Amino acid sequence: MSLVVVGTMAFDAIETPFGKSDKIVGGAATYIAWSASNFTRPVKQLSVVGGDFPKEELSILEARGVSMEGVQIKENEKSFFWSGRYHLDMNTRDTLDTQLNVLANFTPVVPDSYQDCEFLMLGNLVPAIQLSVINQIKNRPKLVVLDTMNFWMESALSDLEEVISKIDVLLVNDSEARQLSGQYSLVAAAKTILEMGPKYVIIKKGEHGALLFNGDQVFFAPALPLEMVFDPTGAGDTFAGGFIGHLARTKDISFENMKAAIIVGSAMASFCVEKFGTNRLRELTKVDIDNRIQQFKDLTKFEIELSS
Ligand code: AMP
């Protein structure tokens, strides 16, 4: 039984008010794999890269228990490229460029060895590709989690709606939740999204934490107040990797355990933003992660006596 991760493996160029990167390794599935492999192995990766993608990156991930059997390498093509510029608040950004390259004609092929998939993480990617993966997996996974973004809401809404109708958990940020639902209130937005199919919706609010909705139940997880946010790129994917990694490790998909999974996701995301790209994720130890989760526990723990 295993975790299968679908998404981009890519190059990014990032500008923040504090610095600028050259073309660096990024992509939704790259961040998810770096994050989830701290909790569960193997992570079975499904993606496509061009001949320009560093082979070394694939082998470093492989050494961490990330299977690359489902990653197609198109030697004569270029990898997906994204470039973005963050505003001063570091919570909002503009996409400067999206070059699909190798993604434009990508037909995913789910290897036989991935058919034991119990947890399916559909990272940010063309909705038709996400759909094709769902349809190729013969036995419905125990949990299907989807991450997406405004780009696909604008360019492939009907495919995206079809994917959303087939999943269990949708991860979006606050502006995407508003865009998808047409509602300003996040509570109303969650209600509308839950009517589209998923049983759970998680709305990420950057430095203001994340909300989990399921029926009438709501849970709120804070983000760690950090003095310095260096680069928020990949924080959402790193959150997703920690969330599903924890669920895959514990094999418990109850609402109570999802609360813990959101804290794990938030802790992982808090590391991601501390350095450019995946750099901070590359150096983490189990002790670092445990200490950070403890900080989250301390942050929200309080005693109060009710006078009644
Ligand atoms: P996040 O900051 O968590 O939203 O994710 C940023 C990552 O998503 C970057 O590493 C990009 O390579 C990747 N990305 C950006 N735009 C897209 C897109 N339209 N589809 C798939 N991945 C994307």
Side-chain angles (χ1 to χ4, degrees):
M1 290 295 167
S2 63
L3 166 63
V4 171
V5 172
V6 189
T8 44
M9 298 185 79
F11 286 118
D12 295 337
I14 302 153
E15 286 178 36
T16 76
F18 313 106
K20 203 172 162 173
S21 75
D22 294 328
K23 253 174 126 182
I24 55 172
V25 166
T30 310
Y31 283 99
I32 295 169
W34 273 104
S35 181
S37 54
N38 287 291
F39 307 98
T40 185
R41 294 178 187 189
V43 173
K44 298 185 175 176
Q45 198 85 336
L46 205 61
S47 190
V48 63
V49 295
D52 53 355
F53 196 81
K55 305 278 183 299
E56 196 198 352
E57 179 69 18
L58 301 177
S59 33
I60 295 174
L61 280 168
E62 249 174 338
R64 289 177 62 90
V66 181
S67 163
M68 293 296 165
E69 200 187 333
V71 177
Q72 297 176 26
I73 303 175
K74 301 272 170 74
E75 285 298 346
N76 298 322
E77 294 180 44
K78 282 165 73 178
S79 301
F80 177 82
F81 172 74
W82 174 81
S83 128
R85 181 188 294 136
Y86 288 87
H87 300 172
L88 202 57
D89 67 4
M90 292 294 256
N91 251 353
T92 50
R93 71 182 175 203
D94 296 324
T95 288
L96 301 176
D97 197 6
T98 301
Q99 295 174 17
L100 294 180
N101 297 330
V102 84
L103 210 57
N105 298 312
F106 175 45
T107 309
V109 180
V110 176
D112 285 346
S113 66
Y114 286 28
Q115 286 294 346
D116 65 353
C117 171
E118 204 180 3
F119 291 84
L120 176 58
M121 179 68 232
L122 298 168
N124 195 8
L125 196 83
V126 188
I129 296 176
Q130 296 171 323
L131 209 52
S132 154
V133 173
I134 294 178
N135 291 335
Q136 285 181 56
I137 294 181
K138 295 184 190 115
N139 295 320
R140 173 114 184 12
K142 191 167 169 170
L143 194 78
V144 182
V145 180
L146 171 72
D147 189 14
T148 188
M149 74 186 286
N150 55 352
F151 184 85
W152 304 115
M153 292 174 197
E154 282 144 29
S155 60
L157 185 61
S158 66
D159 282 352
L160 180 60
E161 284 172 342
E162 194 178 342
V163 184
I164 291 175
S165 74
K166 292 177 187 276
I167 55 142
D168 301 303
V169 185
L170 177 67
L171 289 170
V172 274
N173 68 29
D174 42 4
S175 68
E176 290 157 356
R178 292 186 171 113
Q179 183 169 347
L180 185 64
S181 64
Q183 305 271 7
Y184 180 76
S185 146
L186 292 181
V187 176
K191 219 169 158 186
T192 304
I193 292 169
L194 289 175
E195 282 162 9
M196 296 167 77
K199 292 187 256 331
Y200 300 87
V201 57
I202 295 171
I203 302 182
K204 298 166 290 174
K205 288 150 54 74
E207 64 172 328
H208 305 299
L211 292 159
L212 165 68
F213 295 89
N214 165 232
D216 292 332
Q217 293 178 294
V218 190
F219 173 69
F220 171 70
L224 198 69
L226 293 169
E227 192 170 340
M228 181 67 195
V229 171
F230 205 72
D231 170 20
T233 307
D237 310 311
T238 305
F239 177 100
F243 175 76
I244 200 150
H246 173 81
L247 294 177
R249 182 179 71 79
T250 53
K251 299 198 184 301
D252 170 359
I253 56 169
S254 65
F255 184 74
E256 283 309 307
N257 197 41
M258 279 200 196
K259 293 182 185 177
I262 286 191
I263 298 294
V264 174
S266 303
M268 294 308 293
S270 75
F271 285 121
C272 175
V273 304
E274 289 178 335
K275 289 193 175 171
F276 259 121
T278 52
N279 286 341
R280 185 70 177 107
L281 301 179
R282 289 167 194 267
E283 59 191 26
L284 290 181
T285 64
K286 170 134 188 11
V287 174
D288 293 330
I289 296 172
D290 285 349
N291 288 344
R292 188 60 61 98
I293 292 173
Q294 184 62 46
Q295 271 182 280
F296 271 81
K297 285 182 81 172
D298 296 342
L299 186 68
T300 47
K301 188 173 160 225
F302 63 91
E303 308 288 334
I304 188 163
E305 264 186 44
L306 297 176
S307 57
S308 58

